[in-house]
């Protein structure tokens, strides 16, 4: 048991959740590697929501607010780290949730749907897999016609670059949460929140409750500039590290 007083309590608890998730068959084993990469980038950010990531969370809220059929795509890592928060976001944004996996097995889809239902989710999509994302081979292209296939806005936390690009080619607006500002997903998405899912998802929900000129936010949104701001933040933080 990790004591709450441990200086790295939050980070260690996330590791525990991922590790438990693997044991329960919710998280794919490579999810641990993905998490480790994320952790390294989180360390560079100072494990907090940096200002450009907060701006991106407002832009994400704007896209969700204006969507006609928004879908939150949940994979193994996102479910165990922020399943409850994804459900709250879906309720606030009037969005659907679809379990959609990179390493898809029917068994893991079923387990994850059950996990999300136990956390309070209703009508979770993903089991049916009655449509395909064009251009993606094998099972990772499978999706729900009622969900991702027909969505206009898709929120895909911790996504792989290929799928993000394929969703863009389908004409969708893609919002992602990725701690790595250099990733292909980060660069291909319309809105990239360079933050940990555990902070980013509730942050979008918080912003959805605020009053904003949503159209203007979308009109003025520049994702490349946001990624550049994230890189500059990290560079400034690193170059002044021993002066702090
Ligand atoms: O559950 P599945 O089968 O859908 O598989 C999920 C993983 C994550 C294994 C799969 O999508 C994958 O391999 O993803 P990648 O290509 O490793 O990309 C994951 C990205 O998410 C990387 O850029 C990580 O830096 C980032 N990341 C990892 N943990 C977090 C994160 N971003 C935000 N919050 C995190 N906690």
């Amino acid at each position: 048991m990790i004591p709450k007083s441990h200086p790295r309590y939050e980070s260690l608890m996330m590791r525990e959740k991922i590790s438990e998730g693997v044991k329960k068959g919710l998280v794919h084993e490579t999810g641990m590697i993905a998490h480790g990469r994320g952790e390294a980038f989180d360390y560079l950010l100072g494990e907090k929501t940096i200002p450009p990531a907060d701006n991106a969370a407002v832009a994400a809220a704007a896209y969700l607010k204006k969507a006609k059929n928004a879908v939150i795509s949940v994979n193994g890592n996102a479910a165990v780290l922020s399943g409850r928060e994804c459900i709250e976001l879906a309720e606030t944004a009037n969005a659907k949730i679809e379990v959609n996996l990179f390493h898809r097995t029917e068994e893991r889809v079923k387990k994850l749907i059950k996990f999300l239902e136990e956390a309070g989710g209703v009508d979770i999509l993903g089991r049916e897999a009655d449509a395909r994302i064009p251009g993606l081979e094998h099972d990772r292209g499978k999706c729900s016609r009622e969900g991702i296939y027909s969505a206009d806005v898709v929120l895909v936390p911790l996504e792989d670059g290929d799928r993000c690009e394929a969703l863009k080619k389908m004409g969708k607006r893609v919002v992602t949460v990725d701690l790595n500002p250099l990733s292909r997903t980060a660069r291909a998405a319309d809105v990239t929140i360079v933050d940990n899912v555990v902070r980013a998802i509730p942050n979008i929900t918080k912003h959805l409750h605020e009053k904003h000129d949503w159209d203007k936010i979308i009109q003025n949104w520049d994702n490349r500039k946001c990624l550049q701001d994230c890189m500059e933040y990290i560079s400034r933080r690193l170059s002044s590290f021993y002066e702090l």
Side-chain angles (χ1 to χ4, degrees), residues 183-232:
S183 77
R184 264 192 312 138
T185 301
R187 286 179 286 137
D190 294 285
V191 179
T192 306
I193 307 172
V194 179
D195 201 1
N196 200 310
V197 276
V198 301
R199 298 187 297 268
I201 301 292
N203 200 23
I204 305 172
T205 307
K206 186 194 95 183
H207 288 307
L208 272 168
H209 288 296
E210 297 163 355
K211 272 207 172 340
H212 288 280
D213 184 341
W214 302 111
D215 288 313
K216 201 165 167 197
I217 287 166
I218 292 176
Q219 233 171 43
N220 293 339
W221 182 247
D222 183 343
N223 205 48
R224 282 179 70 91
K225 162 92 173 53
C226 177
L227 290 173
Q228 186 61 40
D229 289 346
C230 292
M231 293 304 293
E232 278 166 21

Side-chain angles (χ1 to χ4, degrees), residues 57-99:
V58 177
Y63 276 102
L64 288 174
K65 196 90 178 179
K66 289 282 157 185
K68 289 193 178 67
N69 184 15
V71 173
I72 305 174
S73 174
V74 176
N75 64 16
N77 289 47
V80 301
L81 291 179
S82 60
R84 178 72 223 135
E85 290 75 11
C86 284
I87 292 163
E88 273 163 22
L89 174 59
E91 282 165 5
T92 309
N94 199 19
K96 294 170 188 157
I97 293 187
E98 176 171 339
V99 169

Side-chain angles (χ1 to χ4, degrees), residues 28 30-31 34-35 37-38 41 75-77 81 100-103 108 158-160 163 177-180 183 195-197:
H28 188 260
T30 62
H35 185 75
R37 186 193 291 172
F41 278 100
N75 64 16
N77 289 47
L81 291 179
N100 195 270
L101 303 178
F102 183 78
H103 305 281
R108 202 150 69 86
L158 280 95
E159 186 59 357
D160 80 289
R163 243 196 341 201
V177 181
D178 192 335
L179 278 160
N180 177 6
S183 77
D195 201 1
N196 200 310
V197 276

Side-chain angles (χ1 to χ4, degrees), residues 101-236:
L101 303 178
F102 183 78
H103 305 281
R104 185 184 174 97
T105 65
E106 298 315 313
E107 195 197 347
R108 202 150 69 86
V109 171
K110 272 191 211 146
K111 278 188 182 176
L112 281 161
I113 290 177
K114 189 161 173 269
F115 177 81
L116 291 169
E117 283 170 348
E118 281 167 5
V122 282
D123 300 328
I124 310 280
L125 300 169
R127 211 180 266 125
E128 51 293 323
D130 50 1
R132 286 200 77 89
I133 302 170
L136 284 185
E137 283 165 29
H138 305 302
D139 287 352
R140 71 198 177 102
K142 286 185 179 172
C143 66
S144 156
R145 185 165 294 277
E146 191 193 337
I148 289 178
Y149 189 80
S150 55
D152 54 348
V153 175
V154 194
L155 169 61
V156 278
L158 280 95
E159 186 59 357
D160 80 289
D162 259 14
R163 243 196 341 201
C164 181
E165 282 166 7
L167 291 172
K168 284 291 302 166
K169 278 196 191 131
M170 286 176 85
K172 301 181 190 307
R173 295 291 182 193
V174 179
V175 177
T176 192
V177 181
D178 192 335
L179 278 160
N180 177 6
L182 302 165
S183 77
R184 264 192 312 138
T185 301
R187 286 179 286 137
D190 294 285
V191 179
T192 306
I193 307 172
V194 179
D195 201 1
N196 200 310
V197 276
V198 301
R199 298 187 297 268
I201 301 292
N203 200 23
I204 305 172
T205 307
K206 186 194 95 183
H207 288 307
L208 272 168
H209 288 296
E210 297 163 355
K211 272 207 172 340
H212 288 280
D213 184 341
W214 302 111
D215 288 313
K216 201 165 167 197
I217 287 166
I218 292 176
Q219 233 171 43
N220 293 339
W221 182 247
D222 183 343
N223 205 48
R224 282 179 70 91
K225 162 92 173 53
C226 177
L227 290 173
Q228 186 61 40
D229 289 346
C230 292
M231 293 304 293
E232 278 166 21
Y233 183 98
I234 294 171
S235 310
R236 269 201 314 278

